[in-house]
Amino acid sequence: MPQIPGNAVGARFTGWGRALPPKVLTNHDLEGMFETSDQWIRERTGIERRHVGGTTAGLSIESGGLALGMAGVDPLDIDALVLSTSTPDRTVPATSATVQHGLGLKCGAFDVNAACSGFVYATVVAHGLIAMGARKVLLIGTDTLSRITDWDDRNTAILFADGSGAAVLEATDGPGQLLGWDIDSDGSAEELLFCEVGGTIHMDGKEVFRRAVRIMVDSAKKSMAIAGVTADDIALVVPHQANIRIISAACDRLGVPMERAAVCIHETGNTSSASIPLALFEAADQGRLSAGDLVLLVGFGAGMTAASVIIRWGV
Ligand code: UT7
């Protein structure tokens, strides 16, 4: 991926929000649905519970409204809405249309679908819009995977869940937060993880696992090279929350200790587009980030896609 031109208009996150549906499904609840155990799910995935319910638009409006409120931005001042989702409420129109109306925005709105890498793809797109003259962009990652999960399939039903994370991205006078970025896709791996229109998710879990670690690490290394930083410089890695063993293996290969990873999978399960913003903004809300810290966001997902960005927090 190219270097970011030195004269590009910079941008930074000025507000964020998180939304999880109130209904909680624990591992023990799943024990009553198919043959599995709380212990197996914890040990093999790191997941203890997950939130399910709601619609993609409803969760997006909730997290987006919180982000606008925190940033203190009038909805009428937003220049574009970018919604990352693989679970739109309708095939047409894009769910971003519903969200735009629900939040009272008057601007262009569109969905991005890059599966679980989607929020990082959308982050790159949003920075690009600012580089081209937009001043304020609302960026949301939301998925309601429970609606496309086969609840009789223990291979997938233990993993997937619902949630949303949002951020307001505003133009700044300085260079901004984005130091490096990478987006990748390998369509030859499509059959490993897919969902037909109107169907449910099919996944070759073992092969997805094997490739996930490699493609996350490759993407992260590309972004770090563009940013001119090393793993030692990264204060916080925010990986896609798919499986604690994938997160741990990726951190290991990157040479980043797990203490420097943002992890919320035990509470959320795999929420696809929402997983990275949920983990990032939970870490921010917990005071784990200081101005100037380098943060690596890195995702992978169906496609198979991978994407990463290096951002300098709070500049
Ligand atoms: O956003 C990206 C989405 N996807 C992913 O990231 C998924 C990546 N893959 C994974 O996370 C893992 O492959 C899974 C969690 C899906 C499965 O874990 P695994 O360690 O690869 O298990 P496995 O498929 O190798 O199965 C091991 C054993 C098998 O039994 P035997 O053949 O050894 O007797 C399975 O039948 O565990 C059994 N098993 C289960 N047992 C209890 C598989 N699923 C379950 C289950 N509960 N839910």
Side-chain angles (χ1 to χ4, degrees):
M1 286 299 158
Q3 295 283 339
I4 299 163
N7 58 354
V9 179
R12 69 185 193 98
F13 293 139
T14 55
W16 52 85
R18 297 179 278 140
L20 291 167
K23 183 175 175 192
V24 173
L25 209 51
T26 66
N27 291 347
H28 292 294
D29 293 328
L30 298 181
E31 285 174 346
M33 295 164 65
F34 41 74
E35 201 185 330
T36 191
S37 70
D38 172 53
Q39 188 188 352
W40 192 97
I41 302 171
R42 279 174 195 253
E43 287 178 4
R44 298 293 183 116
T45 71
I47 300 169
E48 296 172 18
R49 66 189 79 84
R50 70 285 290 143
H51 294 246
V52 293
T55 62
T56 294
L59 290 169
S60 301
I61 290 168
E62 191 180 335
S63 68
L66 290 170
L68 288 168
M70 180 177 169
V73 168
D74 185 330
L76 295 176
D77 289 338
I78 292 291
D79 296 317
L81 167 64
V82 186
L83 171 62
S84 163
T85 188
S86 315
T87 47
D89 291 336
R90 290 173 159 166
T91 303
V92 173
T95 303
S96 51
T98 316
V99 177
Q100 184 237 28
H101 181 61
L103 286 171
L105 312 180
K106 299 278 181 243
C107 61
F110 58 97
D111 289 8
V112 167
N113 179 355
C116 305
S117 309
F119 185 80
V120 184
Y121 265 73
T123 299
V124 173
V125 169
H127 281 83
L129 289 169
I130 297 232
M132 288 190 296
R135 300 299 294 174
K136 298 177 200 297
V137 177
L138 181 60
L139 169 63
I140 306 180
T142 306
D143 268 305
T144 46
L145 293 178
S146 69
R147 299 189 303 178
I148 59 166
T149 298
D150 175 353
W151 288 99
D152 293 324
D153 175 15
R154 69 176 183 174
N155 181 42
T156 52
I158 56 166
L159 300 174
F160 298 128
D162 308 334
S164 177
V168 173
L169 187 70
E170 294 191 57
T172 69
D173 291 334
Q177 65 182 19
L178 187 67
L179 305 184
W181 60 278
D182 173 66
I183 56 173
D184 291 320
S185 182
D186 174 9
S188 72
E190 179 175 350
E191 299 304 322
L192 296 180
L193 180 51
F194 66 90
C195 176
E196 301 290 358
V197 174
T200 52
I201 300 173
H202 294 261
M203 180 180 76
D204 178 344
K206 265 197 178 324
E207 188 56 20
V208 170
F209 190 119
R210 202 179 64 78
R211 293 185 188 220
V213 177
R214 177 165 45 84
I215 64 179
M216 280 171 96
V217 170
D218 282 353
S219 181
K221 285 185 173 167
K222 286 186 214 166
S223 282
M224 288 195 292
I226 289 167
V229 303
T230 68
D232 289 343
D233 302 320
I234 304 293
L236 190 74
V237 179
V238 187
H240 170 43
Q241 310 284 304
N243 185 318
I244 193 69
R245 292 184 295 139
I246 294 177
I247 294 174
S248 164
C251 283
D252 197 45
R253 286 204 202 168
L254 282 170
V256 176
M258 274 296 273
E259 301 80 67
R260 283 198 261 137
V263 175
C264 64
I265 190 171
H266 53 286
E267 168 69 29
T268 62
N270 179 345
T271 57
S272 193
S273 284
S275 94
I276 288 177
L278 284 172
L280 171 64
F281 299 130
E282 179 183 75
D285 290 339
Q286 290 170 340
R288 286 183 71 186
L289 288 169
S290 305
D293 278 352
L294 290 185
V295 183
L296 163 65
L297 311 185
V298 58
F300 73 93
M304 283 187 71
T305 57
S308 58
V309 293
I310 305 286
I311 60 177
R312 192 181 292 284
W313 186 257
V315 297

